[in-house]
């Protein structure tokens, strides 16, 4: 059950409305007018909760659930316990995500953290030339610099710093202790606490008698509906801009170097690093702890397995893994052969023969 100190739901929703808005079908005989108050896991849900089954690992919990309703694939409907209303979907997890958004809309867009929405707190510092839209929340200790612009209904979290000249679109969430400089942020962007955007890229002309700093003269452009996880860093470009594409989701503790271009709707998972001037096409997936060398291209739809080290361009739609990253089938064959070699050495006492 969700803790109401942190998560507030909207008014109850009817099964008919939920089904319509998430694209599910109600099982025959379901009472469309029955209402629910929220969502909950299978093993904790009560008669006023909506749950879901997407992974057969939890089929046992589904068969015993006390949920009032459950989203499930049609082929598992017959395993539902008596009295549980069913919403049938070919993609139960996606349907559940949409339903949870209906009940908890603030968790989709980012809620204020201080508890006083729509005001500029007296302890915040807003430069007289900054433009603040209608309904903007500026929490305690936040600083907004000269000429900055913040769109309507955006939340600026406590102690966030928006440097001079930056623009932030409407309905954004800028988490506490975030810093933004040399950047333009689109609409409905979520920046979780501690994100750093627009600082110097790591650019030096190396050599004797000393390494000379190269001024970083580009910007960071974050397009609409992007989400960037806590303590991730995105450097501004050296001349070209660093670009984060529309709808891209970046996890916590990710580093994006200068001049990087990330396409639309990419997924970049925790502790990944993308070196300067690399380019990612649309719908690219980088799993956890991937390393991407600079000045290469990972083309549209490609996927890199966890801990992969990308040192060459990756063709569109391909799956790569390993160090250095290679087509995933080839990498898996190599892993199998290495295991066989290890077993043979163990059986022969470590002999090379």
């Amino acid at each position: 059950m969700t803790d109401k100190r942190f998560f507030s739901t909207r008014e109850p929703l009817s099964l008919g409305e939920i089904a319509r808005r998430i694209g599910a079908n109600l099982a025959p005989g379901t009472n469309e007018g029955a209402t629910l108050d929220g969502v909950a896991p299978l093993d904790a849900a009560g008669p006023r909760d909506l749950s879901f089954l997407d992974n057969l690992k939890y089929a046992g919990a589904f068969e015993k659930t006390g949920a009032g309703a459950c989203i499930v694939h049609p082929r598992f409907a017959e395993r539902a316990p008596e009295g549980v209303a069913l919403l049938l979907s070919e993609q139960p997890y996606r349907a559940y995500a949409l339903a949870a958004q209906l009940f908890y809309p603030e968790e989709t867009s980012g809620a204020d953290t201080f508890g006083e929405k729509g005001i500029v707190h007296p302890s915040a510092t807003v430069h007289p030339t900054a433009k603040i839209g209608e309904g903007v929340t500026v929490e305690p200790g936040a600083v907004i610099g000269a000429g900055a612009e913040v769109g309507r209904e955006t939340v600026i979290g406590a102690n966030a710093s928006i440097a001079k000249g930056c623009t932030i679109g409407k309905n954004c969430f800028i988490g506490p202790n975030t810093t933004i400089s040399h950047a333009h942020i689109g609409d409905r962007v979520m920046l979780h606490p501690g994100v750093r955007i627009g600082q110097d890229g790591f650019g030096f002309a190396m050599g004797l008698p000393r390494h000379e700093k190269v001024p970083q003269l580009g910007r960071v452009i974050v397009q609409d509906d992007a989400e960037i996880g806590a303590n991730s860093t995105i450097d501004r470009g050296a001349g070209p801009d660093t670009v984060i594409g529309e709808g891209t989701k970046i996890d916590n503790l990710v580093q994006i170097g200068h001049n990087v271009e990330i396409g639309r709707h990419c997924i970049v998972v925790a502790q990944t690093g993308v070196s300067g001037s690399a380019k990612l096409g649309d719908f690219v997936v980088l799993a956890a702890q991937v390393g991407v060398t600079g000045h290469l291209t990972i083309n549209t739809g490609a996927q890199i397995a966890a801990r992969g080290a990308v040192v060459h361009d990756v063709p569109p739609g391909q799956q790569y893994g390993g160090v250095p990253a290679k087509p995933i089938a080839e990498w898996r064959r190599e892993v199998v052969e290495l295991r066989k070699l290890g077993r043979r050495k163990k059986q022969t006492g470590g002999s090379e023969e």
Side-chain angles (χ1 to χ4, degrees), residues 2 17 42 90 94 110 114 123 153 183-184 197 201 216 230 271:
T2 54
E17 182 180 2
L42 287 166
E90 297 291 327
R94 185 177 185 85
F114 185 63
S123 68
E153 301 295 333
H184 297 301
I197 289 182
Q216 304 291 288
Q271 298 183 342

Side-chain angles (χ1 to χ4, degrees), residues 225 227 244-251 254 256 262-270 272 274 280-288 290 292 298 301-304:
D225 299 302
E227 184 167 346
I244 309 300
E246 173 189 344
T248 282
K249 311 301 182 185
I250 296 176
D251 199 357
V254 169
I256 307 296
I262 297 181
R264 298 175 303 126
H265 305 290
C266 293
I267 298 292
V268 182
V269 186
T272 287
V274 183
L280 278 61
D282 299 339
F283 294 96
V284 166
V285 176
L286 304 182
V290 164
V292 179
I298 301 177
Q303 300 179 350
I304 313 299

Side-chain angles (χ1 to χ4, degrees), residues 190-202:
M190 291 185 69
L191 305 182
H192 291 273
V195 166
R196 310 298 183 204
I197 289 182
Q199 61 281 339
D200 271 10
F202 192 69

